[in-house]
């Protein structure tokens, strides 16, 4: 699959931008703060209905504009297709179209324009806090599995409401009556999330270990372990069993939740750990090991998407190559010789011969 044409209006610092993309490498060059990342963000949004940078639609709309309008022509599933997102500030719901037909949810866009984003923060993802790793997994899983996307949205909504009930337990004690209902649903939906995650992380770890093995010349063995709620003995168990496991953890924390006024149990604290030859990267990884393992994870994510849909997702490398030494740059570039790639950087340097160059200044092509 590849993006053919992009037309964006009122998005971030773009008043209007229109360009035709190469099916191969597109190099987006510009000084700092000119709109390179904003451009990649619009591509991610068109494909997935979400941004990795914010959940607030108002931030996506150009200061002073009433709405943002994104349109793309995409070649995917053997034909030309169109995607469009119109985003409003505040409570007014956004509008999503696929081939001119209005869609209710982002899940219905799945499969037209899959993207894998790789940015400098991702290079440190194995050293950062758990939330960065969850976000990485969620962004990938939501694109791969529309049902996961829907379940995650429901889970987050329930969790937010439960947090409010717990927070206001003294002012609104009557709300506590509906807490058991929320808890049950949280366990049911949470069990579904765990079930998806267990399978996804297993495949991701296997694919990443192949890349890491190639890069380290087989010297290090890459393994990935998924961690969830402690009462879950087997994350591959049936959803019914997982629901029971979550309920038992929740029951044992019920008092503590009421005392602290916080949600203390559930898969919103999930994490994963990567080990190299048995040593956790988070604790022991050197800079180089941490980066190589992160690259392996990203390439694995791209491969899983390709395996699922039969099409190469669009790869977006945001400033990441300039953060790598030449040997890691070459490793990444060799692995991405096929498919469409957008690479942002401040200077063209050695990448200029890779494909078409788009120069951006103040939200415009120069
Ligand atoms: P760098 O090389 O530093 O990463 P960049 O080219 O990737 O720079 P972007 O992250 O794309 O830069 O952002 C460019 C500019 O867009 C920023 O200066 C920011 O202030 C501006 N910007 C972000 N959101 C909006 C908005 N809603 N309206 C107008 N401008 C915005
Ligand atoms: Mg940037």
């Amino acid at each position: 699959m590849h993006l053919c044409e992009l037309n964006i209006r009122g998005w971030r610092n773009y008043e209007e931008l229109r360009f035709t993309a190469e099916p191969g490498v597109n190099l987006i060059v510009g000084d700092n703060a000119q709109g390179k990342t904003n451009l990649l963000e619009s591509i991610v949004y068109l494909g997935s209905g979400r941004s990795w940078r914010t959940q607030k639609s108002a931030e996506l709309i150009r200061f002073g504009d009433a709405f943002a309008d994104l349109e793309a022509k995409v070649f995917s599933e053997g034909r030309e297709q169109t995607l469009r997102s119109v985003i409003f500030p505040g409570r007014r719901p956004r509008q999503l179209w696929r081939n001119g037909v209005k869609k209710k949810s982002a899940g219905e866009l799945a499969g037209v324009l899959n993207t894998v984003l790789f940015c400098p923060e991702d290079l440190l993802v194995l050293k950062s806090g758990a939330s960065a790793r969850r976000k990485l997994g969620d962004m990938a899983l939501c694109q791969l599995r529309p049902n996961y996307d829907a379940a995650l949205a429901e889970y987050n909504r329930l969790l937010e409401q439960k947090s409010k009930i717990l927070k206001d337990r003294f002012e609104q004690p009557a709300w506590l009556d509906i807490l058991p209902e929320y808890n049950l649903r949280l366990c049911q939906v949470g069990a579904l999330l765990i079930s998806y995650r267990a399978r996804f992380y297993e495949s991701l770890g296997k694919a990443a270990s192949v890349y890491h093995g190639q890069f380290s010349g087989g010297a290090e063995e890459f393994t990935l372990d998924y961690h969830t709620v402690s009462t879950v003995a087997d994350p591959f168990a049936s959803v019914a069993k997982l629901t029971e496991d979550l309920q038992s953890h929740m029951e044992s924390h019920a008092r503590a939740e009421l005392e602290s006024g916080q949600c203390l149990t559930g898969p919103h604290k999930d994490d994963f750990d990567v080990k190299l030859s048995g040593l956790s990267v988070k604790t022991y990884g050197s800079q180089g090991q941490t980066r190589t393992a992160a690259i392996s994870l990203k390439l694995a994510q791209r491969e899983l998407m390709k395996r699922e849909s039969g099409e190469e997702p669009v790869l977006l490398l945001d400033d990441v190559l300039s953060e790598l030494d030449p040997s890691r740059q070459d490793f990444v570039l060799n692995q991405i010789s096929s498919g469409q790639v957008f690479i942002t950087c401040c200077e063209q340097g050695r990448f200029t011969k890779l494909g078409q160059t788009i120069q951006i200044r103040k939200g415009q092509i120069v």
Side-chain angles (χ1 to χ4, degrees):
M1 65 179 53
H2 63 268
L3 177 75
C4 310
E5 271 177 50
L6 185 70
N7 184 5
I8 63 183
R9 268 163 289 157
W11 172 268
R12 294 283 192 185
N13 68 331
Y14 289 97
E15 184 179 357
E16 170 145 30
L17 179 93
R18 189 188 277 272
F19 77 90
T20 308
E22 285 282 316
V25 176
N26 296 268
L27 203 61
I28 299 167
V29 184
D31 290 340
N32 294 134
Q34 304 303 306
K36 301 182 298 296
T37 305
N38 293 345
L39 186 61
L40 298 190
E41 191 184 22
S42 74
I43 299 173
V44 171
Y45 196 95
L46 272 163
S48 67
R50 62 179 76 220
S51 159
W52 74 96
R53 290 159 120 190
T54 182
Q55 301 210 21
K56 297 192 191 105
S57 57
E59 287 175 23
L60 303 172
I61 301 163
R62 186 167 172 259
F63 302 145
D65 279 9
F67 61 91
D69 192 345
L70 309 175
E71 276 182 275
K73 267 194 200 138
V74 181
F75 188 83
S76 167
E77 299 165 319
R79 64 203 156 100
E80 194 175 283
Q81 305 200 49
T82 59
L83 289 172
R84 183 169 177 216
S85 308
V86 183
I87 303 142
F88 303 96
R91 286 177 182 276
R92 183 165 169 198
R94 64 181 176 184
Q95 297 171 358
L96 305 171
W97 281 272
R98 174 178 178 167
N99 298 324
V101 181
K102 211 166 172 177
K103 297 292 175 191
K104 284 205 186 72
S105 70
E108 292 174 82
L109 306 178
V112 184
L113 178 61
N114 289 335
T115 55
V116 174
L117 172 81
F118 196 2
C119 54
E121 295 94 275
D122 293 327
L123 287 170
L124 300 176
V125 76
L126 295 173
K127 288 277 190 200
S128 345
S131 69
R133 281 182 293 281
R134 273 197 300 278
K135 197 164 138 190
L136 182 139
D138 283 342
M139 284 290 286
L141 251 172
C142 284
Q143 285 194 71
L144 276 172
R145 301 266 176 268
N147 290 340
Y148 178 86
D149 190 331
L152 184 65
E154 182 180 359
Y155 187 89
N156 287 335
R157 212 164 39 238
L158 290 163
L159 194 67
E160 200 178 306
Q161 285 156 347
K162 177 178 171 181
S163 300
K164 181 141 181 58
I165 295 173
L166 287 174
K167 198 166 133 264
D168 295 345
R169 63 202 179 286
F170 300 121
E171 292 82 10
Q172 307 278 357
W175 288 0
L176 289 172
D177 295 345
I178 51 170
L179 194 56
E181 261 174 69
Y182 276 97
N183 280 340
L184 173 63
R185 191 68 196 140
L186 272 168
C187 292
Q188 289 167 336
V189 184
L192 207 58
L193 296 184
I194 292 174
S195 182
Y196 276 113
R197 286 176 183 170
R199 284 160 182 79
F200 170 69
Y201 285 125
E202 186 184 45
S203 315
L204 188 73
K206 278 190 188 146
S209 78
V210 176
Y211 285 112
H212 195 90
Q214 283 172 13
F215 193 78
S216 68
E220 292 166 347
E221 193 204 356
F222 179 112
T223 49
L224 186 151
D225 300 307
Y226 165 51
H227 302 293
T228 184
V229 177
S230 62
T231 49
V232 174
D234 174 17
F236 292 94
S238 69
V239 173
K241 172 74 175 74
L242 292 171
T243 305
E244 281 172 25
D245 293 345
L246 291 182
Q247 281 174 306
S248 79
H249 193 265
M250 199 171 259
E251 276 155 27
S252 65
H253 287 72
R255 235 184 93 183
E257 285 194 324
L258 279 176
E259 278 166 7
S260 66
Q262 285 176 348
C263 301
L264 301 175
T265 152
H268 50 282
K269 295 269 159 77
D270 282 2
D271 196 3
F272 66 86
D273 185 34
V274 168
K275 292 197 179 85
L276 297 179
S277 304
L279 290 180
S280 162
V281 174
K282 187 169 170 79
T283 320
Y284 299 106
S286 73
Q287 269 208 40
Q289 283 174 318
T290 307
R291 285 159 176 253
T292 307
I295 294 170
S296 305
L297 275 178
K298 277 288 154 175
L299 293 173
Q301 182 189 333
R302 179 162 172 267
E303 189 181 309
L304 293 193
M305 282 195 168
K306 183 180 171 185
R307 241 186 258 163
E308 285 286 323
S309 69
E311 296 192 65
E312 200 105 53
V314 176
L315 185 66
L316 308 168
L317 300 177
D318 191 13
D319 257 340
V320 81
L321 289 178
S322 51
E323 295 277 318
L324 299 176
D325 56 53
S327 71
R328 286 188 177 79
Q329 281 179 2
D330 287 341
F331 182 70
V332 174
L333 291 173
N334 285 333
Q335 296 293 343
I336 58 167
S337 48
S338 63
Q340 190 178 37
V341 190
F342 289 83
I343 300 174
T344 72
C345 49
C346 290
E347 281 163 42
Q348 308 191 15
R350 62 194 288 246
F351 311 126
T352 176
K353 48 192 176 303
L354 295 172
Q356 126 167 299
T357 300
I358 301 162
Q359 187 107 31
I360 299 279
R361 192 182 305 144
K362 292 190 184 154
Q364 282 180 335
I365 295 180
V366 288

